[in-house]
């Protein structure tokens, strides 16, 4: 019997069910140790396993678990008609594939990936593609490879689509489905539930993180995974891609907007009518500057804008500031700029706030006295350092709001994460009392502040 026939016969012999767990265990030991070694333990062996192993090992097995060392298996194999075979050869023929160590498998897998990344580096010369691919090669960043860790053709196709998209990022705002149609031939080709879309978002996040390393105001949350539709939308918006530009809107009152040198008159008209304005992202992206209705004395002077968390509070304050005048006839210069955040940061809100800051705004924020309200305040303070003031958010204001809503342990943990120096004392004060309070409780104080400002009392 030649060697090939002997291997075939050995594979058939050890293919019996009674040997399966032993050989599988020996193969696992080899992968872990990069050699045939260690001990395989068979708990709760079947009668068939016990009989087959007693015949192979030529010894009586004690009751209970069976322990077989790799050395004992090799010695037993040598005493059979398969003795001319190497134990590794037998395991490989039984497995039907090459037996390699986990370390060697990882090395081969990475070499295959590196060859792919080097090939793609030559194909995609765009600086963004080069930066991302080089980081992947250097293992400075990571991507989720195919489920089995290999470089499957479908995965390569998705990666190529992501690279094409990166190399064709628009210079002007563009809707994501239109952009995806140009790149992929499919308006949904870069959706976040598609593999190509997931890779595209990973690349954009990496590129934005790289910008943050050299920018003047790095985003402290840049290393967090994208966890919401709003975060995905903001990342796309950063690269001039819009996912939803009509239903995503910001709400404001008392502001004038400009597209270049031209004023967008409907903003001023809404303020003149004493009306709030819901501005969709579609309109905000063409705005280049947002200023108060009465322009500052000098173009570089700062101006104040008042932000509230809740739409009900915004509406009540708007009632208060417009109640005692004929809104259509009153001078719009007296209007105090108000912005509503609707309990969360929509992408359109960020777009409006970014333009306000760029135009010279100082943001005065008032939110709920709860973990979510303080977290919103912290995001503002971190995003616009030196340009945010807290409005009626002191321990005295918290007490005036009559705290009564209990905070459970989960929300108290969120409160503990509020660590900005300006906010930390208030967060600790609320945590000690374990009660939340809300803006509605200090609505008269907020309205009185705006009335004083409108009458020229205060700044």
């Amino acid at each position: 019997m030649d060697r090939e026939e002997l291997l075939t016969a050995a594979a058939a012999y050890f293919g019996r069910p009674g040997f399966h767990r032993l050989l599988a265990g020996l193969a696992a030991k080899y992968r872990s140790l990069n050699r045939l070694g260690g001990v395989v333990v068979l708990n709760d062996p079947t009668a068939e396993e016990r009989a087959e192993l007693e015949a192979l090992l030529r010894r009586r097995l004690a009751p209970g678990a069976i322990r077989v060392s790799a050395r004992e298996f090799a010695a037993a194999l040598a005493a059979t008609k398969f003795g001319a075979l190497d134990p590794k050869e037998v395991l490989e023929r039984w497995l039907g594939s090459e037996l390699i160590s986990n370390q060697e498998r990882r090395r081969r897998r990475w070499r295959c990936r590196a060859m792919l990344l080097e090939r793609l580096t030559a194909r995609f010369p765009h600086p963004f593609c080069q930066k991302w691919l080089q980081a992947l090669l250097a293992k400075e960043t990571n991507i989720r490879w195919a489920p089995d860790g290999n470089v499957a053709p479908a995965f390569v196709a998705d990666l190529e689509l992501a690279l094409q998209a990166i190399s064709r990022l628009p210079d002007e705002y563009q809707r994501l489905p239109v952009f995806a149609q140009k790149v992929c031939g499919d308006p949904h080709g870069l959706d976040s539930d598609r593999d190509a879309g997931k890779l595209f978002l990973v690349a954009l996040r990496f590129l934005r993180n790289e910008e943050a390393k050299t920018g003047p105001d790095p985003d402290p949350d840049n290393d967090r995974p994208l966890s919401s539709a709003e975060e995905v939308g903001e990342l796309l918006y950063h690269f001039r891609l819009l996912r939803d530009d009509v239903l995503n809107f910001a709400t404001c009152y008392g502001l004038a907007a400009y597209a270049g040198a031209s004023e967008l008159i409907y903003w001023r008209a809404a303020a003149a009518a004493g009306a709030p304005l819901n501005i969709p992202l579609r309109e905000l992206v063409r705005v280049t500057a947002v200023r108060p209705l009465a322009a500052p004395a000098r173009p570089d002077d700062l101006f104040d804008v008042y932000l509230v968390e809740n739409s009900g509070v915004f509406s009540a304050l708007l009632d208060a500031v417009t109640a005692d005048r004929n809104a259509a006839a009153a001078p719009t210069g007296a209007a105090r700029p108000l912005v509503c955040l609707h309990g969360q940061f929509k992408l359109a809100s960020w777009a409006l706030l970014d333009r306000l800051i760029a135009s010279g705004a100082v943001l005065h924020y008032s939110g709920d006295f709860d973990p979510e309200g303080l977290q919103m305040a912290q995001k503002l303070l971190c995003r616009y350092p030196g340009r945010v003031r807290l409005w009626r958010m002191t321990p005295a204001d918290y007490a005036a709001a009559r705290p009564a809503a209990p905070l459970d342990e989960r929300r108290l943990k969120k409160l503990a994460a509020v660590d900005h120096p300006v906010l930390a004392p208030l967060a600790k004060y609320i945590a000690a009392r374990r009660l939340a309070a809300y803006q509605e409780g200090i609505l008269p104080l907020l309205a009185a502040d705006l009335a004083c400002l409108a009458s020229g009392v205060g700044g």
Side-chain angles (χ1 to χ4, degrees):
M1 187 181 295
D2 64 21
R3 193 172 194 80
E4 185 61 28
E5 290 174 332
L6 201 59
L7 279 168
T8 301
Y13 174 73
F14 286 108
R16 298 173 185 176
F19 290 117
H20 179 84
R21 283 207 290 167
L22 173 63
L23 267 66
L26 289 169
K29 292 292 183 183
Y30 186 95
R31 294 188 186 100
S32 175
L33 300 171
N34 196 23
R35 61 180 176 81
L36 196 64
V39 177
V40 176
V41 180
L42 277 62
N43 292 309
D44 301 317
T46 65
E48 187 175 13
E49 285 176 327
R50 187 174 292 277
E52 295 285 14
L53 292 175
E54 284 184 344
L56 174 67
L57 301 173
R58 299 184 181 184
R59 66 179 173 89
R60 191 77 173 168
L61 298 173
I66 298 173
R67 299 172 63 87
V68 182
S69 69
R71 181 178 297 178
E72 185 179 14
F73 172 77
L77 181 68
T80 68
K81 63 180 179 179
F82 310 120
L85 299 176
D86 183 274
K88 184 188 176 192
E89 287 183 289
V90 174
L91 286 173
E92 288 180 327
R93 182 57 64 95
W94 177 79
L95 286 168
S97 61
E98 183 184 12
L99 183 58
I100 60 174
S101 68
N102 294 333
Q103 183 179 12
E104 175 63 14
R105 185 181 299 277
R106 287 191 294 269
R107 190 186 69 80
R108 292 186 187 184
R109 186 178 292 165
W110 177 249
R111 185 172 61 188
C112 182
R113 294 176 182 178
M115 290 173 62
L116 168 65
L117 295 172
E118 288 168 358
R119 189 168 72 248
L120 293 174
T121 300
R123 278 191 54 199
F124 293 92
H126 190 280
F128 282 174
C129 298
Q130 293 287 303
K131 184 176 290 188
W132 187 42
L133 289 167
Q134 289 301 320
L136 291 173
L137 267 170
K139 300 184 183 180
E140 294 172 357
T141 188
N142 204 356
I143 56 177
R144 189 179 295 278
W145 294 85
D148 61 358
N150 294 317
V151 183
F155 178 84
V156 175
D158 290 328
L159 185 54
E160 289 174 342
L161 277 178
L163 287 163
Q164 289 177 30
I166 296 167
S167 64
R168 297 173 64 179
L169 287 169
D171 295 324
E172 297 182 353
Y173 288 102
Q174 192 171 127
R175 293 170 184 83
L176 180 63
V178 175
F179 176 71
Q181 177 67 37
K182 293 177 182 177
V183 173
C184 312
D186 177 357
H188 299 290
L190 295 174
D191 285 359
S192 58
D193 60 350
R194 299 277 186 95
D195 289 337
K198 292 173 184 176
L199 289 168
F200 180 52
L201 289 175
V202 169
L204 293 184
R205 188 60 179 269
F206 165 77
L207 294 170
R208 187 173 183 184
N209 286 351
E210 289 299 294
E211 288 180 16
K213 289 178 183 178
T214 57
D217 301 315
D219 182 352
D221 293 331
N222 252 335
D223 290 331
R224 288 187 301 101
L226 297 171
S227 60
S228 70
E230 283 299 325
E231 287 182 286
V232 172
E234 188 182 353
L235 178 62
L236 291 168
Y237 170 77
H238 182 80
F239 291 95
R240 297 183 177 86
L241 291 169
L242 308 177
R243 196 166 58 167
D244 176 4
D245 62 352
V246 175
L247 292 178
N248 197 311
F249 61 87
T251 301
C252 66
Y253 166 76
L255 291 167
Y258 302 82
S262 301
E263 183 177 356
L264 304 175
I265 59 173
Y266 67 92
W267 288 59
R268 187 177 293 270
L277 190 60
N278 289 335
I279 316 104
L281 185 60
R282 171 192 173 93
E283 292 297 306
L284 279 166
V285 294
R286 68 191 187 106
V287 171
T288 56
V290 184
R291 303 188 184 99
L293 295 171
R298 293 173 300 183
D300 58 348
D301 282 352
L302 299 178
F303 58 90
D304 298 312
V305 176
Y306 295 84
L307 279 59
V308 293
E309 181 181 347
N310 302 322
S311 56
V313 172
F314 174 87
S315 188
L317 291 176
L318 190 56
D319 287 344
V321 300
T322 59
D324 298 327
R325 67 183 183 91
N326 181 333
T332 56
R336 280 289 163 182
L338 288 172
V339 172
C340 179
L341 299 179
H342 298 289
Q344 61 179 319
F345 286 109
K346 290 186 176 182
L347 179 54
S349 297
W350 285 127
L352 175 59
L353 297 178
D354 286 347
R355 284 158 175 77
L356 280 166
I357 290 292
S359 303
V362 174
L363 306 178
H364 298 259
Y365 173 75
S366 176
D368 287 332
F369 298 94
D370 65 0
E372 295 75 20
L374 267 64
Q375 284 180 333
M376 290 179 71
Q378 180 158 277
K379 286 183 180 180
L380 286 168
L381 287 162
C382 292
R383 186 170 177 126
Y384 308 119
R387 299 286 287 280
V388 176
R389 308 287 185 268
L390 298 184
W391 177 26
R392 289 288 177 182
M393 294 190 72
T394 68
D397 296 311
Y398 165 71
R402 297 178 181 272
L407 292 170
D408 60 25
E409 293 301 325
R410 179 185 62 84
R411 296 184 74 202
L412 285 169
K413 287 181 180 178
K414 291 169 67 175
L415 197 59
V418 177
D419 56 4
H420 191 282
V422 174
L423 276 169
L426 176 60
K428 291 178 180 177
Y429 189 85
I430 295 172
R433 285 148 185 81
R434 304 175 70 92
L435 295 172
Y438 299 98
Q439 276 189 297
E440 288 80 356
I442 55 168
L443 184 55
L445 298 176
L446 298 173
D449 288 345
L450 293 180
C452 289
L453 292 166
S455 65
V457 179

